[in-house]
Amino acid sequence: MLKKSEYFVVKQKAVPEVLQKVVEAKRLLESEKAVTVQEATEQAGISRSSFYKYKNDIFPFHDNARGKSITFVIQMNDEPGLLSDVLHVVADYNANILTIHQSIPINGVASLTLTVDILPTTGDSSDMIKEIEGKEGVMYLKILARE
């Protein structure tokens, strides 16, 4: 029998608004733009009860990624330099590439499986993934695992 996962990775657009506002309230508190929970929840536009109900259940992806590895698959055009551009993004964020596997391109599209170690010095892994997704020629990125 398969063990049920306690965590899920979902894109922001799939997360209910109240949970996004809880994350915003937490950011306000951490950045000291709000001193109290009351101030943070008012600025974020949620009730204190919603904040307390969900505050321990939602957090930005990068907050829980440090010290872990992330495996994702990327479908990208078979263009000179595109793989290098993707790897440079990983390097720019100070993440460490553990494994890399690229298939032989079919119809001008290559599949790349990449496992990246998120170090304590790595920048925001969510931003890293967004930057890779935004590269011209990258058609698809999906996170397969986080260990």
Side-chain angles (χ1 to χ4, degrees):
M1 181 177 209
L2 292 175
K3 180 181 171 188
K4 289 187 178 184
S5 176
E6 292 182 35
Y7 298 98
F8 298 93
V9 176
V10 296
K11 289 196 174 193
Q12 184 174 354
K13 67 182 180 181
V15 177
E17 185 178 2
V18 67
L19 296 179
Q20 292 181 40
K21 289 182 176 187
V22 168
V23 171
E24 178 60 24
K26 289 170 71 171
R27 283 189 185 140
L28 289 167
L29 289 166
E30 288 172 13
S31 68
E32 297 181 354
K33 291 182 179 176
V35 179
T36 65
V37 171
Q38 181 67 36
E39 288 177 15
T41 56
E42 285 176 2
Q43 289 179 38
I46 57 171
S47 67
R48 285 181 43 215
S49 63
S50 293
F51 176 81
Y52 285 115
K53 181 176 181 179
Y54 298 115
K55 74 180 181 86
N56 295 325
D57 295 327
I58 186 157
F59 41 86
F61 178 74
H62 70 275
D63 286 355
N64 200 36
R66 296 200 191 290
K68 307 216 184 240
S69 61
I70 301 170
T71 301
F72 44 92
V73 65
I74 304 170
Q75 286 186 335
M76 52 198 264
N77 293 333
D78 180 27
E79 298 173 358
L82 183 56
L83 175 57
S84 177
D85 289 347
V86 168
L87 298 179
H88 274 98
V89 170
V90 174
D92 288 345
Y93 279 84
N94 199 33
N96 186 39
I97 297 171
L98 297 174
T99 64
I100 182 169
H101 179 269
Q102 182 177 348
S103 67
I104 295 173
I106 299 173
N107 296 327
V109 177
S111 290
L112 174 72
T113 304
L114 192 61
T115 301
V116 176
D117 192 17
I118 306 301
L119 306 169
T121 57
T122 300
D124 186 331
S125 55
S126 298
D127 288 344
M128 178 182 70
I129 290 168
K130 277 190 251 178
E131 192 170 328
I132 293 170
E133 282 180 313
K135 287 279 179 202
E136 188 171 330
V138 172
M139 301 176 342
Y140 172 84
L141 184 147
K142 179 180 180 182
I143 296 171
L144 296 179
R146 193 185 77 196
E147 300 176 21

